[in-house]
Amino acid sequence: DEQLSGIVDSLESAGLRLQNFRADNKVIDMSKEGNFLFEQLEQLRSEKVVADLNKRYYQYVLDYLKGKKDFSDIVAPSVVGIQDQLLNSLVNGLNELSIKRNNLLLTIQENSPQLYNVNAEIENMRNTLLENVGNLIGSNELVLSGLDERLSRIEKEVQKLPYIERQYINIQRKFNINDQIY
């Protein structure tokens, strides 16, 4: 009876340690916890790849707009997988205006009022697109920063996982031994 009472006390103590450990580390099932963290890690990495691709495209458009005068061959955002309707319409509009300008140059003089109007439209569209791309770059930087922060946090959790898992296994083992003895 005394041995049984001592074992019950050990079992209760081990059970309490196991319960406290789970509560402190917010762990229910270690393998599920690890899988969940790795799934989150993969999802965030794929989101980061998309954000990096967007960043490179926005920078391409910015450099293109600052360095060229003919905008008839600018790559549309939908080609690289960016589904921003405003950006797409601005790029297409600038492209169309540039083609219109090139066609007008074939038939009229360079100092023509009609050509002047098209050039003014191109410049307005270019400025609007520059502003839009600048805003997109800023918001994309915030997204990238948030993704980097979340990735860092999850990677730290993943690094802690083996240590926490070892602790959990030791506590679980003691609990199981006491349970077997009981």
Side-chain angles (χ1 to χ4, degrees):
D1 286 344
E2 286 177 25
Q3 284 180 334
L4 193 56
S5 175
I7 292 172
V8 167
D9 287 343
S10 295
L11 184 59
E12 287 175 355
S13 173
L16 190 59
R17 264 186 274 137
L18 184 62
Q19 179 182 348
N20 289 338
F21 182 83
R22 283 182 170 170
D24 291 343
N25 292 295
K26 298 175 181 75
V27 173
I28 296 171
D29 183 358
M30 289 306 292
S31 60
K32 285 182 184 177
E33 183 77 18
N35 288 336
F36 177 72
L37 285 174
F38 283 113
E39 286 172 9
Q40 278 188 321
L41 198 60
E42 288 304 310
Q43 180 184 357
L44 288 175
R45 285 181 179 158
S46 63
E47 287 177 29
K48 186 168 172 31
V49 166
V50 170
D52 282 335
L53 179 65
N54 290 353
K55 178 183 177 181
R56 283 194 293 273
Y57 176 76
Y58 299 148
Q59 193 59 49
Y60 154 78
V61 171
L62 194 63
D63 294 343
Y64 189 94
L65 292 173
K66 289 181 177 179
K68 296 213 176 187
K69 297 292 180 201
D70 182 21
F71 307 110
S72 59
D73 60 347
I74 189 169
V75 177
S78 58
V79 172
V80 294
I82 297 174
Q83 301 302 320
D84 186 323
Q85 294 294 343
L86 177 60
L87 180 63
N88 204 25
S89 67
L90 288 172
V91 168
N92 287 335
L94 187 61
N95 194 333
E96 289 170 7
L97 285 171
S98 190
I99 290 170
K100 182 178 178 181
R101 180 184 183 278
N102 290 340
N103 289 339
L104 282 174
L105 280 173
L106 297 173
T107 58
I108 60 174
Q109 301 286 329
E110 273 206 42
N111 55 2
S112 159
Q114 193 177 10
L115 189 61
Y116 177 79
N117 288 340
V118 170
N119 284 337
E121 285 181 62
I122 288 173
E123 190 58 29
N124 285 338
M125 184 76 69
R126 179 182 164 276
N127 289 335
T128 303
L129 190 55
L130 278 170
E131 183 179 333
N132 184 268
V133 168
N135 292 338
L136 288 171
I137 287 172
S139 66
N140 196 57
E141 288 296 324
L142 289 174
V143 168
L144 279 169
S145 174
L147 285 171
D148 286 339
E149 182 180 307
R150 288 169 47 201
L151 272 169
S152 174
R153 192 172 58 242
I154 289 178
E155 285 170 349
K156 285 179 185 173
E157 289 292 319
V158 168
Q159 288 173 354
K160 281 183 0 185
L161 194 61
Y163 175 73
I164 291 173
E165 195 162 9
R166 279 194 314 270
Q167 284 182 312
Y168 176 74
I169 289 170
N170 287 336
I171 292 171
Q172 181 74 39
R173 189 179 303 131
K174 287 177 186 174
F175 177 81
N176 289 341
I177 289 170
N178 285 326
D179 190 44
Q180 290 294 327
I181 291 172
Y182 177 75

